[in-house]
Amino acid sequence: MKNCERIANIALAGLTLAPLFVKVDPNLNVILTACLTVYVGCYRSVKPTPPSETMSNEHAMRFPFVGSAMLLSLFLLFKFLSKDLVNAVLTCYFFVLGIVALSATLLPAIKRYLPKRWNDDVISWHFPYFRSLEIEFTRSQIVAAIPGTFFCAWYASQKHWLANNILGLAFCIQGIEMLSLGSFKTGAILLAGLFVYDIFWVFFTPVMVSVAKSFDAPIKLLFPTADAARPFSMLGLGDIVIPGIFVALALRFDVSRGKGSQYFKSAFLGYIAGVVLTIVVMNWFQAAQPALLYIVPAAIGFLAVHVIWNGEVKQLMEFDESKTAASSQEGSETSSSKKVE
């Protein structure tokens, strides 16, 4: 599993840098980058302890409405305020967020070369004048934050498409790695809601496309083209992260049963099919497309067909990662108490 993740990491890094040196077809670049990012994020999400914080059905139902409110707010900000001013504020925000995301992404590779106590000893720091606010970190995290800080400074000063993409990839990998849907029922509710959300804001209003073009921040991946009128193709990070956390749940379901990655393969294949179909339709109609319109039915459909074929619908629908996390925590507390005795 680790070898596959390392190969995918190397391939993703090479694919990201490739347009600097050779001509890469942007359509192929979109497909490979999106799929490799989901693959890496999924395998990084497999950890000994399941996520303790999971999304509830209520949160999943509210998510499209919260997302719509944020999207409309950004649209109004760009409409009534200076675009440069809004982007300057957002650059400061993403500068800090980028350091956190990049350091967290680099940490697993860096910490293995550092002393063990640098990874284990936690340092607590209180904000001046706000003693109730506390940040905990390790020396390894500080070391990982150093290259992240220089890189984010380069992004803020140059806004180069490569810097934008690397930050975007870090956000995607961290999102897929850290977020948990809890259950497939919650995942289906979230994806169904965002399926409608994406269609509405792309096809029925100019809001989504307008914000994507005005928002000068790493909320989208940029792929250089040879067309001077349209120098970049774009893919929103939500089209990677949202389906990615669903595919990652399928992988952790497989791991929890110790039966290999059978359902992960079908969900991941569905994601690939959805991304490919998005690119085909976009080029056919020469118009922006809501990627979730194609990705959501493909990812859920491929997984559903596989589960029904195996006759394991009940097992999949009963899987609840929050209960798994609770039982794991109880088990660790029990073992700790036995050691104390």
Side-chain angles (χ1 to χ4, degrees), residues 6-75:
R6 288 195 189 100
I7 293 171
N9 276 317
I10 294 170
L12 183 59
L15 187 63
T16 303
L17 296 172
L20 290 174
F21 309 103
V22 296
K23 184 178 178 181
V24 180
D25 183 87
N27 296 321
L28 181 63
N29 204 354
V30 170
I31 295 168
L32 293 178
T33 301
C35 295
L36 282 171
T37 304
V38 168
Y39 187 89
V40 171
C42 287
Y43 274 95
R44 283 181 60 125
S45 75
V46 178
K47 300 176 181 178
T49 305
S52 57
E53 296 294 330
T54 56
M55 185 179 291
S56 66
N57 290 345
E58 291 74 19
H59 289 146
M61 291 177 187
R62 287 200 296 265
F63 195 90
F65 297 102
V66 174
S68 296
M70 292 180 64
L71 182 66
L72 189 57
S73 299
L74 286 170
F75 176 76

Side-chain angles (χ1 to χ4, degrees), residues 28-234:
L28 181 63
N29 204 354
V30 170
I31 295 168
L32 293 178
T33 301
C35 295
L36 282 171
T37 304
V38 168
Y39 187 89
V40 171
C42 287
Y43 274 95
R44 283 181 60 125
S45 75
V46 178
K47 300 176 181 178
T49 305
S52 57
E53 296 294 330
T54 56
M55 185 179 291
S56 66
N57 290 345
E58 291 74 19
H59 289 146
M61 291 177 187
R62 287 200 296 265
F63 195 90
F65 297 102
V66 174
S68 296
M70 292 180 64
L71 182 66
L72 189 57
S73 299
L74 286 170
F75 176 76
L76 294 175
L77 282 174
F78 283 117
K79 188 176 181 64
F80 294 108
L81 295 178
S82 167
K83 186 184 296 186
D84 292 336
L85 174 63
V86 175
N87 278 317
V89 173
L90 291 172
T91 296
C92 295
Y93 172 74
F94 279 98
F95 177 84
V96 177
L97 199 63
I99 294 173
V100 175
L102 273 175
S103 60
T105 304
L106 295 172
L107 186 60
I110 291 175
K111 66 191 301 185
R112 70 182 77 168
Y113 300 106
L114 299 175
K116 188 175 184 299
R117 61 188 181 86
W118 284 31
N119 302 325
D120 298 335
D121 295 346
V122 178
I123 301 170
S124 298
W125 184 75
H126 295 270
F127 282 85
Y129 308 110
F130 298 95
R131 304 298 296 177
S132 59
L133 295 177
E134 180 183 9
I135 296 178
E136 293 184 346
F137 53 87
T138 63
R139 291 180 178 87
S140 298
Q141 288 173 322
I142 295 175
V143 173
I146 293 172
T149 302
F150 282 107
F151 188 88
C152 288
W154 175 49
Y155 165 76
S157 62
Q158 301 295 324
K159 295 294 182 72
H160 194 277
W161 66 264
L162 177 61
N164 174 90
N165 284 8
I166 291 177
L167 282 176
L169 292 174
F171 291 142
C172 288
I173 291 171
Q174 286 303 302
I176 297 171
E177 179 182 353
M178 303 303 296
L179 297 176
S180 172
L181 291 169
S183 68
F184 287 98
K185 181 179 179 182
T186 302
I189 293 171
L190 177 67
L191 291 181
L194 291 175
F195 171 81
V196 177
Y197 159 93
D198 216 21
I199 293 172
F200 175 77
W201 289 112
V202 173
F203 282 155
F204 296 98
T205 76
V207 172
M208 181 79 80
V209 175
S210 175
V211 170
K213 290 180 178 179
S214 302
F215 206 137
D216 189 11
I219 60 161
K220 56 187 180 291
L221 299 182
L222 302 174
F223 303 93
T225 70
D227 186 357
R230 191 171 63 96
F232 294 101
S233 290
M234 296 185 295

